Amino acid sequence: MLNIGVYSSKTNRSFSGGSLPRRARGCIFASRPPVKVLIHSSHESRVDITSPVTAAVEEQKQQQLEAVEQPSDNIAGVTRKKRPGRQADSTDAVASFLTRRFGIAGGLAWLGFLAIGTLGEQVKTRLEVANEINGTKDVQDAPEVVLPSGVRYRDLRVGGGQNPIKGYLAVVDYIGTADGVEFESTRARGKPIVFLYGSRPFTGGMCPGLEEALGSMRAGGRRLVTVPPEMGFGERGSVLRATEHVPNKQGIIPPGATLVYDVELVRVSIPPS
């Protein structure tokens, strides 16, 4: 069996191997640092045990290396390890690409492009509102127009804004009567109807005949529309029920009723994405 020990010049005993053999007591190790000694026994195996002193030195070196690799700040007597800084990711993929490819100048150029685009949209909106106001005018004794579907209308005010487009938001104010009896008035309750033009199902007292009449109107315009039963609610009629946004809505449209709408197209706009 192999015994390994570390011996110093001041003792004849080892740290791990017991007393020295009798023939080794005469050895003197002067003032050299502790060394690793291998003692062979009759067996062929060999065991290498590291000196505790050497292990302590290696551990100290490792701690010094770690201290160099991970610098720390000493603030108010408290040592804190530095954490790697986090870089903010841009939510705009185009801006990120241009910044990486062309540097800060590329990112600033893209920012300027977006700013000009936003300004252009604001100018366009202001021009549309101005045209709607300036192009709107009241008319008297306008001729009645009869559509192939049987829907009739007569303009009371011609608008100067945009025509309704399928998928766009349309804001409508109207007073609706069925066979001369009022069934709904958005003007009385102060809440116009907002809906996607061309969508189904219809909102409130809207019907196919009224939607057809709105198609040729411009924002700011007002019409008196007459809808025959087959383009209104037909033989089934309709009952308007209260909703979350309009809790006081109520009205009955009897079967086979002819509908008359005093309708105003307040606004046409692109729906929010």
Side-chain angles (χ1 to χ4, degrees), residues 4-232:
I4 300 176
V6 178
Y7 302 90
S8 69
S9 60
K10 297 182 180 180
T11 180
N12 287 332
R13 292 184 177 273
S14 68
F15 292 98
S16 59
S19 300
L20 284 170
R22 183 177 299 276
R23 63 177 177 275
R25 292 184 183 276
C27 299
I28 299 176
F29 289 94
S31 59
R32 298 174 60 186
V35 297
K36 182 168 61 177
V37 180
L38 299 179
I39 303 177
H40 295 274
S41 65
S42 58
H43 298 282
E44 294 297 328
S45 62
R46 175 179 298 180
V47 180
D48 188 356
I49 301 178
T50 305
S51 167
V53 177
T54 307
V57 173
E58 293 296 331
E59 183 178 359
Q60 184 178 5
K61 290 182 178 181
Q62 183 65 23
Q63 293 177 355
Q64 293 176 354
L65 289 175
E66 291 179 355
V68 173
E69 293 176 355
Q70 299 179 356
S72 61
D73 294 335
N74 191 348
I75 302 176
V78 179
T79 302
R80 297 186 306 174
K81 291 183 178 180
K82 286 185 177 179
R83 294 184 178 180
R86 182 179 178 183
Q87 296 180 354
D89 295 332
S90 174
T91 57
D92 191 337
V94 177
S96 300
F97 170 76
L98 291 176
T99 302
R100 290 195 301 267
R101 182 66 177 82
F102 302 103
I104 298 178
L108 292 176
W110 176 249
L111 180 61
F113 174 78
L114 292 179
I116 293 174
T118 304
L119 181 60
E121 288 295 327
Q122 293 179 356
V123 172
K124 179 181 177 182
T125 302
R126 291 176 181 272
L127 288 176
E128 289 177 350
V129 173
N131 292 334
E132 178 180 333
I133 295 174
N134 296 330
T136 300
K137 59 181 180 179
D138 293 332
V139 293
Q140 295 179 355
D141 300 328
E144 185 178 60
V145 178
V146 180
L147 301 178
S149 62
V151 176
R152 308 190 308 270
Y153 67 83
R154 182 168 59 87
D155 284 322
L156 303 178
R157 183 170 64 242
V158 177
Q162 183 177 355
N163 293 102
I165 299 176
K166 186 176 181 180
Y168 275 36
L169 285 176
V171 183
V172 174
D173 241 345
Y174 67 78
I175 298 174
T177 60
D179 291 338
V181 179
E182 182 178 306
F183 63 86
E184 187 175 23
S185 175
T186 61
R187 294 172 186 165
R189 66 170 178 254
K191 290 184 178 180
I193 289 179
V194 182
F195 67 99
L196 287 176
Y197 184 77
S199 65
R200 299 291 188 275
F202 289 107
T203 302
M206 295 287 299
C207 64
L210 180 58
E211 183 184 59
E212 184 178 10
L214 289 172
S216 57
M217 290 183 68
R218 290 182 175 273
R222 181 180 174 186
R223 280 180 178 175
L224 193 64
V225 182
T226 303
V227 180
E230 56 273 16
M231 290 297 291

Side-chain angles (χ1 to χ4, degrees), residues 251-267:
I252 298 176
I253 302 174
T258 298
L259 310 178
V260 177
Y261 293 89
D262 182 351
V263 60
E264 178 182 0
L265 181 58
V266 180
R267 183 65 52 82

